[in-house]
Amino acid sequence: MTEPQSAVLSVYGNAARRLAKLDRAVQARYAEFQSKFCANMDLPGLRLKRLQGDRRLWSARITDDYRAILCEVARAHFVLIDVAPRQSSYDRIDHRYTAHVNGVTGAFEVADFDEIHSAVAESERSPEPAAPAHPVRAVAVTDLFKDYPDDVLLDFGVAAPLLPAIRQIATGDQLKAFCDVAPRHTAEILNAIDAGFTLAEIEEFVTAPVRAPEPVDTSDFAAAVERRTSYVTSSDAAVTAMLDGRFEAWRLWTHPTQQQLIDRTYKGPARVSGGPGTGKTVVALHRTARLARGLDPASGERILLTTFTRNLAADLKSKLGLLLDQEALARVDVEHLDAVVHRLAREQGDLGALMGDDDMLAAWEQVRSDRGETEFDADFLLSEWNDVVCAQLVTSRAEYLQARRVKRPRRLNRIQRARVWELVERFNKLLAERGAWCWPQVRATTAVAEKHRLKGDYRYRHIVIDEAQDLTPAHWVLLRALVPEAVDDLFITGDTFQRIYGQPVTLGQLGIDIRGRSKRLTLNYRTTREILLAALAIGSGAQADDLDGDTDSLAGYRSVMSGALPEFRPQTTPEAELATIATQVRAWTEAHGTGGIAVAVPLKAMAAKVIDGLNAAGVPAAALAADAVPSSDTVHVGTMHRLKGLEYRFMMVSGIGADKFPYGYVRKLADTDPQRFELEMAKARNLLFVAATRARDAVVFTWTGEPSPLLRLAAA
């Protein structure tokens, strides 16, 4: 009896996309097919047969109506490149598929000419979209690549078989359709050209990170499918994800520039920065997963994946669960950092009653009244206590006299500082008398306590921090104390242009040395060029630090995608604005379903009104909560703060009139406290920048009255 011929069956990225779209019954049959094929590819029922044309191509039976199209890359190793109706498996097969090895990146690539021609033809038939009421700017796209000779495109890594098709692209719609189905690297190059990259920028940002370090053997298909640059997976878990409706490309195929950061071993704390949509959170998730798999289960060592907000922590926890099995996931704590602070503080006993900002302001008023203080008002004292005393873990008069007061609203001489410290001591006493606590205080005391724990008794082996730009100095001292100074101890991702809480920090002064271990991601894989241009206009003139005592920059920040222009729609009344939101969101849901749509507003009260209006219009909508993200089959509505770290296909950013945003308390500071006004305006600018860049495909801005001054450059 002949021994069964087992086989390896990998899956190419575009085939994965096809699998994810198949009817559930066909998907189930594909799972059966893959299991049988890998066990014995010679089973008669599989009907494995070589196709005419390219001798590497084969077909095999999934059902009576569907065939798997396979490329043989080595003996008994095949790559699924398509799932096609039976008849199309044989029609025009000599002309439909070309599997090849990219001579620049060394990646395995497949060109499906039928899919390419069909997509481009469909784009030509699509009606032109109506011109937006207030476009950012018009971008003319005509005969896009005539100025780029074949040898230039080939040297960048464009797939050679696609050159004739590329020469036929003359419109933006055709380019988008082509890039949706072309090999990934070719699409990135063409989009970069369309986005206005110079040749040097294309080489630096697109090709150099994936250029093979050695000459490529374009006949070695087996080596090609093993390269990180190949859009191929052999993971059973990945195939399962495709078949159970959880297929998301970020889970399976990180970009090579991201993968380098995920895999690298660092001798100490490391930091990854980058603008919105550059994949910082993807890197944080995959690095956490890699570190978790590498822990010895018997060691008892653990990992902390943390961030600043509760709803982002909930999103991270959900996504990490897609990357790890239950055993590895059990070794990771996914919590927002103040939850960690609260958990550790509770170890010392009951905390008492939590004081909110209004309660603390009233307490400071009482302290001022008791002491007859007239020079410093309660607002100033509360912010001094928050941003200097608690943030820097100041515990004595001597420490306060030496404390750094970066971007504080007024200078204080030594006598004034001594008087402020006397008031601080009275405030602390008042809290103790009431048995109360507040976040700034408990962060500071917890950080001090953890810093003085028995050395060697660390709670975590690795810590990964996402959206790190919003953490306070007390948070950083705590994080440093939770993990030993060792290889791969702290991995930090964030973008200081997105800071919407807190003040700048210098990590080196807090015991976290990232010198020589910083990397900036510059290519946006989420937001289109058109949306990005509007967002950059909002952020123009912004200054940001790099968490290490220097300034940061958005230089080189580019998008490799193009799409619809942002729309700017002024409204006459709040009622008209709510009606516009409902009309636009309903149009999106009718065309694309309710998933992937969000509305961002400045205030909770407006969020509630938007939800009521959408539900009344028959569109299911739900609020973004502090500790959870609503179901994907509803429209998400929340404040701009709540959308931080999330992403959507379609976004409305509403309620951003001059009378609503920046917030009223910020506008009042212009005359009374210019330095704090500057700081709060920077946070407001960052907040609007963050909201605009949550969108992938389209964004619409609405307001009543005059637009926010922060919106005017984008809408010009």
Side-chain angles (χ1 to χ4, degrees):
M1 179 180 291
T2 304
E3 288 291 321
Q5 176 61 66
S6 62
V8 174
L9 180 55
S10 303
V11 180
Y12 183 60
N14 280 0
R17 179 167 49 81
R18 292 280 185 85
L19 275 175
K21 294 179 179 179
L22 287 175
D23 181 88
R24 295 290 294 172
V26 180
Q27 289 181 343
R29 293 293 298 275
Y30 174 81
E32 296 175 11
F33 160 80
Q34 176 152 315
S35 177
K36 291 178 180 178
F37 186 88
C38 291
N40 183 4
M41 69 183 208
D42 292 330
L43 284 173
L46 297 178
R47 301 179 191 173
L48 180 65
K49 60 181 290 187
R50 194 187 299 272
L51 297 174
Q52 296 179 0
D54 188 335
R55 299 295 291 167
R56 294 183 182 275
L57 298 185
W58 299 70
S59 77
R61 178 183 177 275
I62 299 174
T63 70
D64 287 342
D65 298 321
Y66 282 90
R67 294 293 185 267
I69 309 301
L70 312 173
C71 177
E72 186 177 20
V73 298
R75 178 168 177 76
H77 185 176
F78 295 80
V79 176
L80 177 75
I81 65 172
D82 199 5
V83 176
R86 178 185 177 187
Q87 190 57 41
S88 68
S89 303
Y90 307 106
D91 291 347
R92 303 182 63 254
I93 201 66
D94 289 337
H95 307 286
R96 178 163 185 177
Y97 303 102
T98 297
H100 60 276
V101 177
N102 189 297
V104 172
T105 68
F108 173 85
E109 296 179 338
V110 177
D112 180 343
F113 291 104
D114 277 12
E115 185 178 44
I116 287 170
H117 292 314
S118 175
V120 172
E122 185 65 29
S123 73
E124 293 173 345
R125 288 193 294 270
S126 298
E128 288 295 321
H134 298 272
V136 175
R137 54 182 58 79
V139 180
V141 180
T142 308
D143 205 7
L144 210 54
F145 307 107
K146 61 183 176 60
D147 295 329
Y148 297 85
D150 287 359
D151 60 339
V152 171
L153 296 180
L154 291 174
D155 187 56
F156 284 139
V158 164
L162 291 177
L163 281 174
I166 290 169
R167 295 303 175 196
Q168 303 302 311
I169 297 174
T171 70
D173 285 344
Q174 289 176 346
L175 175 63
K176 184 179 187 305
F178 179 93
C179 289
D180 283 345
V181 296
R184 178 169 64 174
H185 184 63
T186 293
E188 288 184 3
I189 292 169
L190 299 183
N191 277 317
I193 292 173
D194 184 43
F197 282 40
T198 66
L199 297 182
E201 287 173 333
I202 295 171
E203 174 61 31
E204 178 182 357
F205 298 126
V206 182
T207 298
V210 298
R211 190 182 287 277
E214 72 287 332
V216 174
D217 179 356
T218 56
S219 67
D220 192 345
F221 280 65
V225 297
E226 298 300 324
R227 291 182 184 268
R228 288 286 190 190
T229 48
S230 291
Y231 206 38
V232 174
T233 182
S234 299
S235 164
D236 289 340
V239 174
T240 300
M242 299 172 207
L243 299 179
D244 67 8
R246 294 182 291 116
F247 170 66
E248 295 173 279
W250 68 268
R251 294 177 53 195
L252 310 180
W253 295 289
T254 54
H255 193 274
T257 56
Q258 298 168 349
Q259 194 63 47
Q260 292 168 8
L261 302 173
I262 293 164
D263 292 339
R264 182 176 172 182
T265 297
Y266 295 93
K267 293 182 179 179
R271 181 213 176 192
V272 175
S273 62
T278 53
K280 301 182 298 300
T281 297
V282 168
V283 169
L285 285 164
H286 278 272
R287 185 164 178 86
T288 301
R290 183 182 75 78
L291 294 172
R293 296 186 194 103
L295 287 182
D296 179 1
S299 70
E301 294 179 325
R302 300 190 61 74
I303 297 173
L304 174 64
L305 172 61
T306 190
T307 189
F308 187 71
T309 62
R310 281 187 287 175
N311 58 317
L312 182 53
D315 188 59
L316 290 174
K317 188 170 187 177
S318 173
K319 288 178 176 175
L320 188 66
L322 302 177
L323 297 178
L324 289 174
D325 60 32
Q326 288 302 310
E327 181 182 355
L329 189 62
R331 298 192 282 273
V332 184
D333 291 334
V334 186
E335 297 178 277
H336 73 98
L337 195 46
D338 277 342
V340 178
V341 169
H342 190 264
R343 171 164 54 84
L344 299 181
R346 287 293 299 272
E347 291 181 2
Q348 309 304 316
D350 183 42
L351 292 176
L354 171 64
M355 291 184 70
D357 288 343
D358 291 342
D359 295 327
M360 287 192 289
L361 195 62
W364 275 110
E365 287 286 9
Q366 180 177 333
V367 169
R368 288 181 67 247
S369 176
D370 291 346
R371 295 295 181 180
E373 175 58 47
T374 58
E375 181 178 1
F376 305 115
D377 62 27
D379 279 322
F380 171 83
L381 292 168
L382 176 58
S383 64
E384 186 77 3
W385 186 73
N386 280 341
D387 299 337
V388 180
V389 176
C390 293
Q392 297 182 42
L393 315 185
V394 174
T395 59
S396 70
R397 180 178 182 273
E399 289 178 350
Y400 179 63
L401 293 177
Q402 298 298 319
R404 298 173 70 246
R405 302 180 67 255
V406 179
K407 292 199 173 183
R408 292 296 297 143
R410 58 182 293 182
R411 296 179 182 274
L412 298 180
N413 61 35
R414 191 175 182 85
I415 294 174
Q416 288 172 316
R417 285 203 188 201
R419 193 161 79 253
V420 169
W421 184 253
E422 180 186 353
L423 296 170
V424 166
E425 289 183 321
R426 176 58 194 146
F427 181 76
N428 288 337
K429 182 179 179 181
L430 181 62
L431 292 187
E433 290 171 352
R434 294 182 179 181
W437 66 278
C438 54
W439 282 115
Q441 181 192 50
V442 80
R443 288 169 187 153
T445 56
T446 303
V448 170
E450 203 66 26
K451 188 176 180 180
H452 292 94
R453 269 168 60 91
L454 180 66
K455 292 302 179 185
D457 184 20
Y458 293 100
R459 298 182 188 266
Y460 294 102
R461 173 60 187 87
H462 308 287
I463 298 178
V464 178
I465 308 111
D466 192 32
E467 299 288 350
Q469 69 275 357
D470 288 316
L471 303 186
T472 68
H475 282 134
W476 288 113
V477 172
L478 174 63
L479 289 166
R480 179 66 281 175
L482 289 174
V483 66
E485 295 186 25
V487 170
D488 292 337
D489 50 358
L490 290 163
F491 188 80
I492 302 160
T493 69
D495 175 20
T496 49
F497 284 93
Q498 298 184 63
R499 178 184 287 121
I500 59 176
Y501 304 99
Q503 292 182 311
V505 300
T506 300
L507 294 182
Q509 295 176 347
L510 300 170
I512 300 173
D513 184 4
I514 58 174
R515 288 175 299 176
R517 293 185 293 272
S518 293
K519 171 71 175 178
R520 183 165 186 84
L521 297 172
T522 56
L523 287 187
N524 184 310
Y525 298 97
R526 176 180 70 217
T527 303
T528 65
R529 179 181 74 243
E530 291 79 5
I531 294 173
L532 184 60
L533 286 172
L536 290 174
I538 291 168
S540 63
Q543 298 291 320
D545 63 286
D546 68 349
L547 297 180
D548 203 30
D550 206 346
T551 57
D552 207 346
S553 169
L554 287 172
Y557 182 37
R558 301 286 191 275
S559 173
V560 296
M561 300 183 298
S562 60
L565 292 167
E567 296 188 38
F568 299 84
R569 301 182 187 171
Q571 304 296 310
T572 55
T573 65
E575 293 75 19
E577 185 174 15
L578 287 172
T580 296
I581 294 170
T583 299
Q584 179 60 74
V585 170
R586 186 167 54 242
W588 281 334
T589 60
E590 289 173 352
H592 307 284
T594 51
I597 301 173
V599 181
V601 293
L603 303 168
K604 285 184 180 179
M606 186 170 184
K609 291 180 180 178
V610 170
I611 292 171
D612 290 343
L614 289 175
N615 286 327
V619 178
L624 280 166
D627 54 358
V629 176
S631 167
S632 60
D633 59 359
T634 63
V635 174
H636 295 180
V637 182
T639 64
M640 290 187 278
H641 287 86
R642 284 279 178 254
L643 272 81
K644 186 174 179 60
L646 305 178
E647 60 182 71
Y648 298 90
R649 291 187 63 193
F650 305 99
M651 279 284 306
M652 293 198 75
V653 183
S654 298
I656 46 176
D659 61 335
K660 296 287 194 307
F661 192 78
Y663 301 109
Y665 79 89
V666 176
R667 299 193 299 274
K668 291 178 182 178
L669 293 171
D671 297 324
T672 62
D673 196 338
Q675 195 163 356
R676 189 178 171 201
F677 173 73
E678 179 185 338
L679 181 64
E680 294 300 327
M681 282 295 289
K683 291 180 185 178
R685 182 184 292 108
N686 291 351
L687 186 58
L688 189 54
F689 177 76
V690 167
T693 52
R694 299 308 91 198
R696 190 189 82 185
D697 294 342
V699 62
V700 176
F701 298 90
T702 68
W703 65 90
T704 58
E706 289 294 316
S708 167
L710 297 175
L711 191 65
R712 287 171 187 161
L713 281 176

